[in-house]
Amino acid sequence: MRPLNAFEGFGIEIEYAIVGTADLECRSIADIVLAHAAGTGAVAMERGLIGWSNEFVLHVLEAKNLAPAARLEDLAQPLQREVIALNKTLLGHGARLMPTAMHPWLDPRYDAQPWPIDPHGIYRTYQRIFETRSHGWTNLQSVHLNLPFADDDQFARLHEAIRRVLPIIPALAASSPIADGQRTAYRDFRMRAYGANAKAYPLINGLIIPDTVSSQRAYEDTILEPIYAVMASADPGGILRHPWLNARGCIPRFDRNTIEIRVIDTQECPEADLAVAAAVVGAVHRLYGDLQRLSGDMATEELARIFDSCVISAEDAMIDDGAYLRLFDYSGQSCRAGDLWRHILENMDDSSGIDPARWTPIWATILKHGSLARRIEDAVGASRPSRERLAAVYRDLCDCLQQGTMFAPDRDS
């Protein structure tokens, strides 16, 4: 099968937490659920267009399309049907799926259990080397968007376009303002925790924003090999010597000719997840389709500065780099990240393979009421809300997932 050209096919992976129906506490039963559907020892199950698979911890499951989708729109109904079907299965275990990027009160020291099926020792090696009983390992739910490339030239061009869009994705996608039972100083606390989960080996995460590369060989030489070298003494058997050890915000998957974008927080329902993914695709395509936009130098440190600001403030982050704004034809020297997204979305066309009209109502909700993180903050209110208040808000979010509806700030909890 020939490799897909850029924007010819899309891959989506969405992670959800499994929680108790009544108390919303994490339920470590992903292995039981998969075994029930696919047999003892199963790590995945396939159900038509959509498959489910395990993640690092037992209270998280991932849904994904099993073959590249020509249109993101084609995934909305299948993903929603799968959420409803799995919730029906989970009901028999007194559980349900919870959306958003972090469980609001999970204690990673005690409340999470690692995936137990580990024939190659990968999970055990991660646990031995890293502090995996932390939010950066056990309390993360994200959307991975996979974009294809056909050859080295497309890879380098697509990678450069993606690295320039990465900084503003949290401004649209943040959904993790709550951790340890209280509001954090970050609207995208998932990305804050993710970026610090390998502090002893900083090359693994880098600045989250990757450096410019010109080819697969250049990527392997400048990014992957230095990671493998610094890990060699801790992992002498090379168990983790694979491209997935790299934890930047986007990573090439050369085995399947895709680049995987990892900085999208899970939203309240598949429709919202796909709308955010469609916005990212449109923004990336805008840059990919114009070599002039990619020709100027964009320092990784400057892109990381914008990214860090969006991780903290999401749509309210101020972008004061005129050169960055001009990438998207935004006039002026500064603006809110939310206003930049408004400009991008209002000027989006269908040349990237997405249908802007299909997603405009969801984009309008996000632009009017804010990122899901902002809407959660509005619903929760106090900086240290009661457990009852948090449970009411997140129960409402679970209902949104089941019903396929947006979480609105004036919604009764």
Side-chain angles (χ1 to χ4, degrees):
M1 181 181 295
R2 70 170 179 84
L4 295 174
N5 286 303
F7 306 99
E8 277 191 342
F10 305 103
I12 289 288
E13 304 164 7
I14 309 174
E15 297 166 342
Y16 300 109
I18 304 172
V19 298
T21 304
D23 59 14
L24 301 189
E25 298 286 349
C26 287
R27 296 290 300 277
S28 297
I29 58 172
D31 56 340
I32 297 172
V33 174
L34 291 175
H36 175 78
T40 302
V43 297
M45 62 179 176
E46 298 182 2
R47 294 167 51 94
L49 293 175
I50 306 300
W52 291 90
S53 59
N54 73 296
E55 281 301 316
F56 188 77
V57 286
L58 270 170
H59 69 269
V60 175
L61 281 170
E62 177 185 88
K64 56 190 172 187
N65 56 307
L66 296 173
R71 305 188 316 151
L72 287 174
E73 293 83 357
D74 296 337
L75 297 175
Q77 289 187 354
L79 283 167
Q80 186 62 42
R81 284 197 300 265
E82 279 303 304
V83 163
I84 293 170
L86 193 60
N87 266 338
K88 185 176 180 180
T89 298
L90 288 172
L91 187 61
H93 299 277
R96 69 190 305 187
L97 297 174
M98 177 186 279
T100 78
M102 297 185 76
H103 189 284
W105 63 76
L106 174 146
D107 187 330
R109 298 169 298 175
Y110 309 111
D111 297 342
Q113 299 178 35
W115 182 258
I117 304 169
D118 191 19
H120 304 294
I122 294 171
Y123 297 109
R124 291 191 299 274
T125 302
Y126 270 119
Q127 292 168 58
R128 175 176 58 79
I129 297 174
F130 303 101
E131 180 47 64
T132 57
R133 290 191 175 276
S134 62
H135 286 301
W137 289 93
T138 66
N139 193 15
L140 306 174
Q141 289 85 239
S142 62
V143 175
H144 291 175
L145 169 62
N146 287 267
L147 300 180
F149 58 87
D151 52 36
D152 241 12
D153 288 342
Q154 286 193 9
F155 161 66
R157 186 170 169 182
L158 183 62
H159 186 264
E160 187 62 26
I162 290 172
R163 72 183 285 273
R164 296 182 185 217
V165 174
L166 284 180
I168 58 172
I169 292 177
L172 195 69
S175 75
S176 46
I178 310 292
D180 299 316
Q182 60 186 339
R183 289 171 60 167
T184 71
Y186 301 83
R187 285 186 173 156
D188 199 335
F189 190 64
R190 178 188 73 91
M191 283 310 307
R192 168 62 178 174
Y194 176 88
N197 68 4
K199 289 185 288 187
Y201 302 93
L203 282 180
I204 290 178
N205 299 98
L207 297 176
I208 299 298
I209 309 298
D211 292 333
T212 296
V213 292
S214 58
S215 65
Q216 175 177 342
R217 179 62 181 272
Y219 194 95
E220 292 170 344
D221 288 347
T222 63
I223 295 180
L224 294 181
E225 287 300 332
I227 292 175
Y228 300 153
V230 80
M231 290 294 295
S233 60
D235 180 28
I239 292 173
L240 304 183
R241 189 184 170 89
H242 294 276
W244 38 253
L245 178 60
N246 171 24
R248 282 158 179 75
C250 70
I251 63 167
R253 302 296 298 269
F254 295 116
D255 58 331
R256 61 192 191 205
N257 276 50
T258 66
I259 299 179
E260 182 176 275
I261 299 173
R262 293 181 157 191
V263 301
I264 303 174
D265 277 10
T266 299
Q267 304 297 296
E268 64 265 64
C269 64
E271 189 91 352
D273 292 312
L274 291 169
V276 170
V280 173
V281 168
V284 171
H285 184 268
R286 183 189 186 105
L287 303 186
Y288 179 90
D290 188 341
L291 287 175
Q292 185 64 32
R293 296 180 193 273
L294 300 180
S295 61
D297 180 47
M298 276 280 164
T300 302
E301 292 75 14
E302 175 58 18
L303 294 175
R305 185 181 71 84
I306 297 171
F307 176 79
D308 290 344
S309 180
C310 290
V311 165
I312 295 170
S313 303
E315 66 270 35
D316 291 324
M318 288 301 300
I319 301 175
D320 57 5
D321 186 325
Y324 185 81
L325 297 176
R326 285 192 293 276
L327 285 173
F328 304 98
D329 294 324
Y330 190 97
S331 60
Q333 295 300 307
S334 66
C335 74
R336 290 174 62 255
D339 292 332
L340 177 58
W341 269 115
R342 181 183 300 277
H343 170 79
I344 292 170
L345 297 176
E346 289 178 348
N347 290 279
M348 193 170 291
D349 59 34
D350 60 1
S351 61
S352 61
I354 64 166
D355 178 8
R358 171 68 172 76
W359 307 113
T360 293
I362 299 177
W363 294 343
T365 295
I366 297 173
L367 293 173
K368 180 179 180 180
H369 298 295
S371 61
L372 181 53
R374 170 67 180 272
R375 285 173 275 145
I376 291 172
E377 288 178 343
D378 290 344
V380 165
S383 60
R384 292 179 177 270
S386 66
R387 176 64 61 86
E388 291 75 19
R389 182 58 186 164
L390 279 178
V393 170
Y394 279 81
R395 190 170 292 112
D396 199 11
L397 286 159
C398 290
D399 291 342
C400 287
L401 177 59
Q402 171 70 12
Q403 298 160 9
T405 55
M406 296 289 286
F407 181 73
D410 57 350
R411 192 179 177 90
D412 294 331
S413 297

